[in-house]
């Protein structure tokens, strides 16, 4: 990930949206992190068989804008993490800059929904202050929030 730029992209293989037994929340996580890594978005499924929910995931304008940004080249990177690789305990807090602002991703790998919070000071691209926040999945404006945000994140 340290070498991702306009001329070099990670190859996270193929998106499996609509294949197998992924829940909708798992499909959203799968797509979000492919897009956030700025990996090529190769869809490995029969498009004529996709549900409308899966199509909405693949057409998420925020994630597509981040993935295809032609100004900020870097991928989202972990923060609030000790940089110790563990397949069962991956980084849960990620951020990256793009033309629309700062993308923040939260990943819940637990078996139950989890309350997760982010203080703006923890995000490398932000600092102390108030920021206009939009939910990247729903497009809903959450308003101008000071200090940070706390949300319940679905499992997986």
């Amino acid at each position: 990930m340290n070498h991702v730029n306009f001329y070099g992209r990670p190859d996270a293989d193929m998106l499996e949206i609509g294949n197998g037994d992924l829940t909708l929340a798992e499909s959203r996580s799968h797509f979000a992190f492919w897009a956030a890594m700025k990996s090529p978005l190769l869809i490995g499924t029969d498009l004529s068989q996709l549900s409308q929910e899966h199509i909405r995931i693949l057409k998420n304008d925020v994630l597509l804008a981040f993935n295809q940004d032609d100004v900020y080249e870097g991928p989202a990177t972990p923060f609030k993490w000790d940089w110790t690789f563990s397949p069962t305990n991956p980084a849960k807090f990620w951020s990256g800059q793009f033309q629309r602002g700062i993308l923040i991703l939260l990943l819940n790998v637990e078996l139950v929904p989890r309350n997760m919070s982010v203080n703006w000071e923890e995000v490398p691209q932000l600092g102390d202050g108030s920021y206009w926040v939009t939910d990247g999945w729903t497009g809903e404006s959450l308003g101008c929030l000071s200090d940070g945000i706390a949300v319940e994140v679905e499992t997986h």
Side-chain angles (χ1 to χ4, degrees):
M1 297 300 284
N2 293 331
H3 304 287
V4 173
N5 59 35
F6 292 118
Y7 307 105
R9 301 284 183 208
D11 181 8
D13 199 27
M14 189 156 315
L15 286 163
E16 294 294 331
I17 307 301
N19 292 338
D21 296 325
L22 294 178
T23 66
L24 284 175
E26 290 167 340
S27 292
R28 283 193 297 270
S29 295
H30 180 62
F31 182 71
F33 283 92
W34 242 250
M37 286 188 299
K38 299 212 174 179
S39 185
L41 301 175
L42 302 173
I43 303 166
T45 192
D46 181 351
L47 296 178
S48 68
Q49 300 298 312
L50 280 179
S51 70
Q52 287 303 307
E53 291 89 357
H54 287 118
I55 291 171
R56 277 192 288 280
I57 290 170
L58 293 170
K59 292 175 70 176
N60 182 285
D61 70 316
V62 172
L63 293 169
L64 291 173
F66 186 87
N67 181 269
Q68 301 296 308
D69 193 277
D70 61 358
V71 172
Y72 295 97
E73 62 189 41
T77 55
F79 68 94
K80 210 166 137 174
W81 186 48
D82 66 3
W83 291 90
T84 303
F85 175 75
S86 168
T88 58
N89 190 25
K92 297 169 184 70
F93 299 88
W94 296 69
S95 66
Q97 188 168 6
F98 68 133
Q99 291 181 72
R100 293 188 187 180
I102 306 302
L103 176 70
I104 297 175
L105 300 105
L106 306 176
L107 178 66
N108 175 12
V109 297
E110 306 296 327
L111 298 176
V112 295
R114 177 179 173 210
N115 289 321
M116 299 179 77
S117 62
V118 175
N119 294 321
W120 300 148
E121 291 178 344
E122 299 171 316
V123 180
Q125 300 86 353
L126 300 177
D128 187 28
S130 297
Y131 297 92
W132 193 261
V133 179
T134 302
D135 183 312
W137 284 113
T138 66
E140 175 188 2
S141 171
L142 303 178
C144 187
L145 304 179
S146 59
D147 301 323
I149 188 170
V151 294
E152 182 175 272
V153 180
E154 292 180 67
T155 180
H156 295 186

